């Protein structure tokens, strides 16, 4: 298995609070991605990174920000969580020269 | 722009029967195509992929898929379903051309149920 961990694995929070999810890899892969999975929607890309300090928006980026200060960590922040951000969040990584992404175990976030 | 349509959000088969999960894609440039499988409460695992070359690709657990450019399809098949195949399956597409940063676009998923 690709060395990807996500923390926390489960989180319950209240509307309006900030939340940060962490994705950590031990593979030294260049590309990292954040997706959210919702019933009936499949997985949708939130943000991605193509190198340290290089990030860009995906299709559902509103309400989310990301940071990547070192190769191994990609942080996803919800500045002020809303109930619509209740979801399962997956991180993925991809190496330069490869074409497939490897996924982490996911974080289940509930916003009350 | 690229998109993926998976026909049938839920497919039910009997154990030993043929499994056919349908995927059609839209892409303005040559695509890379993927099938991922997700078991309950787990992350996604790559089942198989098409990049270039042979259009019939074989994956893990006896699954295979055929890339048909003329039909813009990449259907997933398995000759004989096993109880352990019960899971959700996702088709995904990405672009080969530069600048895409290999962003995946996923279909909405097909839940496969296998009946004894």
């Amino acid at each position: 298995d690709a060395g990807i961990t996500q923390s926390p694995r489960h989180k319950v929070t209240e509307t309006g609070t900030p939340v940060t999810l962490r994705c950590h890899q031990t593979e030294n892969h260049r590309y990292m991605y954040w997706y959210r999975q919702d019933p009936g929607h499949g997985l949708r890309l939130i943000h991605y990174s193509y190198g340290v300090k290089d990030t860009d928006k995906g299709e559902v980026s509103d309400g989310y920000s990301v940071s990547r200060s070192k190769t191994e960590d990609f942080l996803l922040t919800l500045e002020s969580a809303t109930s619509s951000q209740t979801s399962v969040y997956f991180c993925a990584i991809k190496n330069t020269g490869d074409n497939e992404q490897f996924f982490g175990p996911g974080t289940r976030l509930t916003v009350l | 722009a690229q998109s993926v349509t998976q026909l049938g959000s839920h497919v039910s088969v009997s154990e030993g029967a043929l499994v056919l999960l349908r995927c059609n894609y839209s892409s303005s440039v040559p695509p890379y195509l993927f099938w991922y499988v997700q078991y309950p409460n787990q992350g996604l695992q790559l089942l198989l992929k098409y990049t270039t070359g042979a259009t019939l690709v074989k994956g893990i657990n006896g699954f295979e898929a055929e890339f048909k450019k003329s039909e813009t399809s990449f259907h997933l098949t398995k000759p004989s379903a096993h109880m352990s195949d019960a899971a959700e399956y996702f088709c995904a597409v990405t672009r080969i051309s530069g600048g895409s940063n290999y962003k995946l676009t996923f279909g909405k998923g097909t839940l496969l149920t296998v009946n004894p």
Side-chain angles (χ1 to χ4, degrees):
Chain A
D1 290 344
I4 314 170
T5 56
Q6 293 185 230
S7 58
R9 295 292 313 282
H10 301 272
K11 186 172 182 64
V12 179
T13 191
E14 293 187 351
T15 298
T17 60
V19 176
T20 296
L21 308 182
R22 180 186 185 223
C23 177
H24 178 78
Q25 59 149 327
T26 58
E27 307 295 322
N28 201 37
H29 285 359
R30 177 183 176 187
Y31 297 89
M32 298 185 77
Y33 307 80
W34 276 109
Y35 295 89
R36 61 178 289 174
Q37 182 180 24
D38 304 288
H41 290 277
L43 279 80
R44 293 176 292 175
L45 181 65
I46 305 171
H47 281 280
Y48 64 98
S49 170
Y50 47 96
V52 174
K53 299 190 188 304
D54 291 325
T55 64
D56 205 349
K57 296 178 180 180
E59 64 176 304
V60 291
S61 60
D62 287 349
Y64 301 95
S65 62
V66 290
S67 66
R68 191 170 179 199
S69 59
K70 47 187 177 178
T71 300
E72 58 266 37
D73 288 326
F74 192 32
L75 304 180
L76 177 70
T77 297
L78 291 65
E79 300 291 347
S80 178
T82 67
S83 58
S84 65
Q85 294 176 311
T86 292
S87 186
V88 181
Y89 291 86
F90 286 99
C91 174
I93 64 174
K94 192 195 79 67
N95 203 7
T96 304
D98 292 341
N99 45 56
E100 63 202 63
Q101 295 181 20
F102 297 94
F103 285 79
T107 293
R108 184 173 296 275
L109 175 67
T110 302
V111 183
L112 301 175
Chain B
Q2 55 194 28
S3 65
V4 175
T5 301
Q6 291 184 239
L7 298 176
S9 59
H10 188 192
V11 170
S12 182
V13 301
S14 298
E15 189 173 22
L18 171 71
V19 175
L20 171 60
L21 305 182
R22 300 178 186 275
C23 172
N24 288 90
Y25 71 91
S26 172
S27 178
S28 57
V29 296
Y32 286 168
L33 295 158
F34 305 83
W35 276 100
Y36 284 86
V37 60
Q38 184 181 34
Y39 299 102
N41 300 311
Q42 294 188 24
L44 275 72
Q45 179 183 3
L46 182 68
L47 205 54
L48 50 77
K49 64 181 179 180
Y50 168 79
T51 54
T52 58
T55 56
L56 181 63
V57 293
K58 297 184 183 299
I60 61 172
N61 302 336
F63 284 92
E64 62 183 35
E66 185 171 11
F67 170 61
K68 292 187 176 180
K69 183 178 179 180
S70 61
E71 298 177 9
T72 61
S73 68
F74 191 57
H75 301 331
L76 182 70
T77 61
K78 182 175 180 178
S80 177
H82 191 273
M83 297 295 290
S84 61
D85 294 327
E88 191 158 22
Y89 293 79
F90 294 94
C91 182
V93 63
T94 191
R95 293 161 51 186
I96 298 173
S97 63
S100 73
N101 286 312
Y102 294 94
K103 293 181 287 184
L104 282 174
T105 298
F106 283 86
K108 295 183 177 181
T110 298
L111 181 65
L112 176 66
T113 302
V114 182
N115 303 306

